Amino acid sequence: GAVVSQHPSRVICKSGTSVKIECRSLDFQATTMFWYRQFPKQSLMLMATSNEGSKATYEQGVEKDKFLINHASLTLSTLTVTSAHPEDSSFYICSARPGTVTYNEQFFGPGTRLTVL
Amino acid sequence: AQSVTQPDIHITVSEGASLELRCNYSYGATPYLFWYVQSPGQGLQLLLKYFSGDTLVQGIKGFEAEFKRSQSSFNLRKPSVHWSDAAEYFCAVGLGNAGNMLTFGGGTRLMVKP
């Protein structure tokens, strides 16, 4: 299957700082990328959907000013957690898919573990 | 709103034994259904999916799942579990554009004992 990478795999930051997480599709063009959040021993919760060149669509309850998503190219999407606080500590996972209309499998990245001190 | 329930948080089976992981969904119509596996430090991998047609679907790694509309279930099965199958398994419902918007169940952690 296609490969999606995330960088960094782990990040520790101080409260109040901003953290950027990158999601890259390595061998296909990702028209759509998704960002999920996973708390320990819990399921993945969709945060937002982004289409290349468009503003991201955020799920209810997700603060768009806190979780900035940029999908400027067909192979790269970034999630920036602004003014991070300890409650933002979580496992962030992205996925990418090549198409928009018909079904196309989502390929998931390995995730980024964010710890905010 | 749609929801996915995986009743078993943890399951332990002996290597070589059969496995069934339960998944129930709540949705007004027939959804697209998926099973994913997540190994530590790795991304989710798609095991199989159901869109329509034959209600018994075959997936990778010897897994299969059966869609039962009357029970709103999509249980995952494997006849003989291998130690390498130990992982977290997620059932998901796909909605929206051709099932691309995924709602995940809470997950079932599978442990395999020798």
Side-chain angles (χ1 to χ4, degrees):
Chain A
V3 179
V4 176
S5 69
Q6 281 185 242
H7 179 79
S9 57
R10 290 178 180 271
V11 57
I12 301 173
C13 69
K14 293 182 178 179
S15 185
T17 61
S18 294
V19 174
K20 180 184 284 188
I21 302 170
E22 292 186 349
C23 176
R24 292 182 185 273
S25 56
L26 299 185
D27 49 6
F28 67 98
Q29 293 187 325
T31 309
T32 306
M33 286 185 168
F34 302 87
W35 286 95
Y36 297 84
R37 186 172 179 176
Q38 185 180 27
F39 290 103
K41 300 185 179 181
Q42 294 188 33
S43 188
L44 286 77
M45 301 296 294
L46 179 65
M47 298 175 66
T49 303
S50 72
N51 291 304
E52 184 266 338
S54 303
K55 287 185 178 180
T57 301
Y58 290 81
E59 294 300 301
Q60 192 172 11
V62 178
E63 300 175 59
K64 61 181 180 182
D65 294 330
K66 180 166 188 63
F67 298 100
L68 301 179
I69 292 172
N70 183 284
H71 190 171
S73 79
L74 285 171
T75 60
L76 173 65
S77 176
T78 60
L79 168 67
T80 302
V81 183
T82 62
S83 186
H85 291 284
E87 57 265 29
D88 298 323
S89 299
S90 189
F91 196 53
Y92 293 88
I93 300 173
C94 74
S95 69
R97 56 179 288 269
T100 57
V101 178
T102 59
Y103 169 75
N104 279 281
E105 180 177 342
Q106 286 185 41
F107 298 97
F108 286 80
T112 296
R113 184 162 302 285
L114 169 63
T115 303
V116 184
L117 303 177
Chain B
Q2 72 282 357
S3 66
V4 183
T5 302
Q6 293 179 245
D8 304 304
I9 298 174
H10 293 99
I11 281 186
T12 300
V13 299
S14 298
E15 190 169 16
S18 63
L19 170 71
E20 182 169 35
L21 302 182
R22 295 183 291 166
C23 173
N24 293 94
Y25 68 90
S26 173
Y27 183 58
T30 301
Y32 301 108
L33 296 162
F34 306 82
W35 274 100
Y36 286 87
V37 60
Q38 184 183 33
S39 297
Q42 297 185 26
L44 276 72
Q45 182 182 22
L46 179 66
L47 288 175
L48 48 76
K49 61 183 181 289
Y50 172 78
F51 282 6
S52 65
D54 193 344
T55 56
L56 183 64
V57 293
Q58 302 297 320
I60 62 171
K61 304 184 179 186
F63 286 93
E64 66 177 25
E66 185 171 13
F67 168 59
K68 292 187 177 180
R69 184 191 305 275
S70 61
Q71 299 176 19
S72 296
S73 69
F74 188 57
N75 294 347
L76 182 72
R77 300 193 294 249
K78 186 170 185 178
S80 178
V81 170
H82 188 262
W83 63 267
S84 61
D85 293 325
E88 187 91 21
Y89 291 81
F90 292 98
C91 179
V93 164
L95 303 173
N97 220 351
N100 290 300
M101 305 298 292
L102 297 177
T103 297
F104 287 88
T108 298
R109 179 163 297 278
L110 172 65
M111 290 170 281
V112 180
K113 59 183 181 181

